Amino acid sequence: MIIDIREVQDINSFYRVESLKGVYGIIWVLVPIFTLVLGITIGVLVIVWLEREISAGLQQRIGPEYSGPLGVLQALADGTKLLFKENLLPSRGDTRLFSIGPSIAVIAILLSYSVIPFDYHLVLADLNIGVFLWIAVSSIAPIGLLISGYGSNNKYSFLGGLRAAAQSISYEIPLTLCVLAISLRLSNSLSTVDIVEAQSKYGFWGWNLWRQPIGFIVFLISSLAECERLPFDLPEAEEELVAGYQTEYSGIKFGLFYVASYLNLLISSLFVTVLYLGGWNISIPYIFVAELFEINKARGVFGTTIGIFITLAKTYLFLFIPITTRWTLPRLRMDQLLNLGWKFLLPISLGNLLLTTSFQLSSL
């Protein structure tokens, strides 16, 4: 049997090319994911710095100023400290549940970023049910908090986990009804890209903020409750529960809970921008923009950069509301929190949905 050396070399080179293509394909799949995670991490650090500076201004304090210029490295220093602190485990608790809880809370929130459009072509997954995917995935995070409280074998922690689950269930329903009103009447789609495109027809006056003012207020209150921000931070009320589900945590596991709260705050602000504030569009009426600069129609690197900048600018401007709310309003009691969710926000959101569908039926 005669073996041709050239044929063997050709076969080997073919397999090398195919293996390289497979490696490049995997890399190109992972690059957007790692880029998004890096951007989210930087965004969380910026939020922590902003909150400390704004709270210092509201309380007439100095705030962070020694760690880097204007104290911008203070959040990074705190994260490094938590990373190297001793990781303690409760002696009588369930160590598996104790370790899994923070991971579930963080992963559930990180998955929600996959449907956020920063520009028309800059979205990790443009799904037909993008908004409901966020609602479904974000509802998994309280399960991680409940598991953490139960695994700690601590009454304070378990009560804090139960409060987190009750609070999430109470405010998840009004938030979903507000999203449903937008998808039914205003955009006829659950895709986040389609919702933004539906608002771009009339510029600034096409925002859903003006067409759904009641839904915007309900969505704002419900998102604050979902993020466990003051005045809705009942699951971790220091005066009542020591620290709630976080009582037994230290080191990097406590840092994961800390990061999860700010990740949830950032994703809520991004969804407010997408659902109510026009997303990546410059949102100035077309008579001023389209004829002169055509910024909304720009594509390529310049258009993508402008879209990312506008989305982040709207998001961080909106973040002033939850940050200032935390340092100005007192905490609600548990009965007040549940009464607000079930007796006020739920009927208002149902009425808003009924009014929206009535307008849709009358326009047919």
Side-chain angles (χ1 to χ4, degrees), residues 323-362:
I323 290 175
T324 53
T325 301
R326 175 179 180 181
W327 299 97
T328 53
L329 295 180
R331 179 184 294 121
L332 296 177
R333 296 196 314 267
M334 192 62 192
D335 60 327
Q336 293 173 336
L337 183 142
L338 295 178
N339 285 335
L340 178 64
W342 290 106
K343 296 182 179 180
F344 292 94
L345 295 186
L346 180 59
I348 291 173
S349 58
L350 282 172
N352 180 62
L353 180 61
L354 179 62
L355 188 63
T356 303
T357 52
S358 301
F359 277 115
Q360 185 183 18
L361 292 175
S362 62

Side-chain angles (χ1 to χ4, degrees), residues 14 38 52 72 86 93 101 105 123 189 191 196 235 256 277 282 284 356:
F14 174 77
L38 179 62
R52 287 175 170 172
V72 294
E86 184 179 2
V123 55
S189 174
S191 170
V196 175
L256 287 177
L277 303 181
I282 191 66
I284 300 176
T356 303

Side-chain angles (χ1 to χ4, degrees), residues 152 154 156-157 241-250:
S152 299
N154 184 321
Y156 296 104
S157 301
L241 300 174
V242 183
Y245 54 85
Q246 304 175 359
T247 304
E248 302 293 338
Y249 282 90
S250 64

Side-chain angles (χ1 to χ4, degrees), residues 16-234:
R16 287 172 188 161
V17 171
E18 290 297 322
S19 61
L20 287 175
K21 286 183 179 178
V23 171
Y24 287 143
I26 295 174
I27 291 174
W28 281 113
V29 170
L30 294 178
V31 164
I33 298 175
F34 284 119
T35 303
L36 182 61
V37 171
L38 179 62
I40 292 169
T41 305
I42 297 174
V44 169
L45 294 176
V46 173
I47 293 176
V48 174
W49 177 80
L50 274 177
E51 181 160 31
R52 287 175 170 172
E53 290 291 334
I54 295 172
S55 63
L58 290 173
Q59 298 177 347
Q60 297 182 353
R61 298 187 285 109
I62 297 176
E65 61 176 356
Y66 295 109
S67 301
L70 300 176
V72 294
L73 300 179
Q74 184 63 50
L76 188 61
D78 293 339
T80 306
K81 179 188 69 174
L82 290 174
L83 185 63
F84 288 101
K85 287 187 71 173
E86 184 179 2
N87 188 18
L88 301 176
L89 297 175
S91 59
R92 298 184 179 181
D94 192 327
T95 55
R96 292 183 180 179
L97 295 179
F98 186 81
S99 302
I100 290 173
S103 303
I104 293 177
V106 173
I107 293 172
I109 298 172
L110 281 176
L111 289 175
S112 304
Y113 285 87
S114 59
V115 296
I116 288 291
F118 295 92
D119 190 60
Y120 184 75
H121 297 290
L122 196 62
V123 55
L124 201 60
D126 183 14
L127 303 177
N128 293 329
I129 55 170
V131 182
F132 274 179
L133 177 67
W134 164 58
I135 295 172
V137 171
S138 63
S139 62
I140 300 175
I143 298 177
L145 307 183
L146 187 59
I147 289 175
S148 302
Y150 179 77
S152 299
N153 195 18
N154 184 321
K155 294 181 180 179
Y156 296 104
S157 301
F158 186 54
L159 188 55
L162 290 175
R163 282 187 170 190
Q167 181 171 321
S168 178
I169 293 171
S170 300
Y171 288 88
E172 195 80 30
I173 301 174
L175 188 143
T176 305
L177 292 174
C178 294
V179 173
L180 191 61
I182 291 178
S183 61
L184 281 179
R185 173 69 177 91
L186 305 178
S187 60
N188 295 321
S189 174
L190 292 174
S191 170
T192 51
V193 176
D194 293 341
I195 291 174
V196 175
E197 286 293 309
Q199 300 177 69
S200 63
K201 298 179 181 179
Y202 307 102
F204 175 75
W205 301 111
W207 286 4
N208 290 333
L209 171 64
W210 314 119
R211 297 188 282 179
Q212 286 281 316
I214 299 175
F216 173 74
I217 295 173
V218 175
F219 188 93
L220 172 61
I221 297 174
S222 301
S223 62
L224 287 177
E226 288 288 318
C227 297
E228 298 173 8
R229 304 279 297 182
L230 268 169
F232 304 105
D233 65 332
L234 269 298

Side-chain angles (χ1 to χ4, degrees), residues 268-297:
S268 299
S269 300
L270 284 169
F271 266 102
V272 168
T273 302
V274 169
L275 296 176
Y276 292 98
L277 303 181
W280 64 80
N281 290 299
I282 191 66
S283 300
I284 300 176
Y286 271 78
I287 56 174
F288 301 106
V289 177
E291 298 178 358
L292 298 177
F293 305 106
E294 296 187 354
I295 294 178
N296 278 339
K297 299 180 180 179

